[in-house]
């Protein structure tokens, strides 16, 4: 696989992920309101952990040869 195909594939995957976050995660976070602070913090923490794991995995994958 050459670099151009790899860049296009990564851009498509990241674009799908961005659209998923934009239309699924943000409404899910802001729809509930803040009536239950404990549950809101747990939900936001899980999302932040998942995003961190994705970014870290992507970073480690780019370092491998």
């Amino acid at each position: 696989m050459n670099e151009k195909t790899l860049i296009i594939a990564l851009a498509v995957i990241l674009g799908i992920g961005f659209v998923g976050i934009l239309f699924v995660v943000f409404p899910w976070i802001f729809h509930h309101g803040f009536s239950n602070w404990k549950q809101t913090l747990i939900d936001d923490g899980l999302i932040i952990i998942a995003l961190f794991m994705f970014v870290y995995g992507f970073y480690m994958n780019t370092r491998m040869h």
Side-chain angles (χ1 to χ4, degrees):
M1 180 182 301
N2 59 16
E3 288 89 14
K4 184 177 179 181
T5 307
L6 181 64
I7 291 172
I8 292 171
L10 287 175
V12 168
I13 291 171
L14 289 174
I16 291 171
F18 177 75
V19 170
I21 289 172
L22 187 64
F23 291 110
V24 175
V25 175
F26 283 132
W28 177 64
I29 291 172
F30 295 119
H31 179 70
H32 292 294
F34 296 107
S35 61
N36 187 354
W37 283 99
K38 184 178 178 182
Q39 188 64 37
T40 302
L41 289 176
I42 290 172
D43 292 343
D44 290 348
L46 289 173
I47 292 170
I48 290 170
I49 289 170
L51 288 173
F52 174 75
M53 287 173 34
F54 173 76
V55 169
Y56 180 73
F58 187 76
Y59 170 72
M60 291 304 290
N61 192 26
T62 58
R63 290 182 46 108
M64 294 177 146
H65 293 286

